[in-house]
């Protein structure tokens, strides 16, 4: 059996990555920090073990958006790529929007809906968590 592989990268191609296997979690985040960093009303994230993700060219430039939390982006074109944090050791979030085939990873829940923009509505029927979801699933 061949393990599932996904690739993605930034808009200019400087940052490219390859992911092996399935995500630990895929979700839509409505928090103000993701919104600002991505300049988007909500951000879709796929969370992986760091060992599942290999960067092929440039590694993302990192910005500490809050203590212990790091957002990785392409220094050349600005595409947001990743999120890592002390409170999720060994894990890395990858922006689903940076995948070559973003339709291959479907979010299964929403989190930080307490900060959702009032004009943003999804009719997907997925579970909604006011803040960060329970980390056991
Ligand atoms: Zn780039
Ligand atoms: Zn967020």
């Amino acid at each position: 059996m061949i393990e599932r592989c996904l690739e993605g990268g930034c808009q200019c191609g400087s940052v490219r990555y390859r992911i092996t296997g399935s995500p630990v979690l895929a979700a839509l985040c409505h928090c103000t920090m993701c919104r600002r960093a991505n300049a988007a009303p909500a951000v879709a994230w796929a969370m992986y073990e760091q060992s599942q993700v290999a960067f092929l060219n440039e590694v993302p430039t990192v910005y500490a958006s809050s203590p212990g939390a790091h957002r990785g982006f392409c220094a050349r074109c600005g595409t947001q790529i990743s999120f890592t944090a002390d409170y999720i050791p060994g894990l890395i979030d990858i922006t689903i929007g940076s995948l070559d085939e973003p339709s291959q990873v479907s979010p299964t829940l929403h989190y930080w809906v307490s900060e959702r923009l009032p004009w943003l509505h999804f009719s997907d029927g997925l579970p909604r968590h006011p803040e960060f979801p329970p980390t056991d699933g």
Side-chain angles (χ1 to χ4, degrees):
M1 187 171 148
I2 297 167
E3 255 201 299
R4 184 181 176 194
C5 241
L6 290 174
E7 290 197 8
C10 65
Q11 200 160 36
C12 78
S14 296
V15 176
R16 293 289 302 166
Y17 58 79
R18 181 179 297 131
I19 297 168
T20 307
S22 300
V24 177
L25 178 73
L28 279 151
C29 185
H30 297 269
C31 84
T32 57
M33 300 294 280
C34 287
R35 179 154 66 237
R36 176 82 71 169
N38 290 265
V43 180
W45 292 107
M47 180 185 278
Y48 294 93
E49 305 279 349
Q50 286 181 2
S51 59
Q52 291 178 267
V53 180
F55 287 100
L56 309 173
N57 306 330
E58 304 291 326
V59 295
T61 299
V62 162
Y63 171 69
S65 54
S66 49
H70 296 91
R71 292 177 188 273
F73 60 95
C74 173
R76 180 159 177 251
C77 71
T79 302
Q80 292 284 324
I81 299 290
S82 63
F83 178 83
T84 52
D86 293 348
Y87 62 85
I88 47 170
L91 298 170
I92 182 169
D93 268 323
I94 297 290
T95 48
I96 291 178
S98 70
L99 290 167
D100 294 341
E101 298 179 75
S103 61
Q104 295 297 304
V105 180
S106 304
T108 58
L109 57 88
H110 296 254
Y111 64 95
W112 281 107
V113 291
S114 59
E115 298 183 349
R116 178 183 61 83
L117 287 175
W119 47 257
L120 187 66
H121 300 284
F122 290 85
S123 57
D124 53 28
L126 296 174
R128 280 141 165 81
H129 298 270
E131 296 185 356
F132 202 70
T135 48
D136 58 314

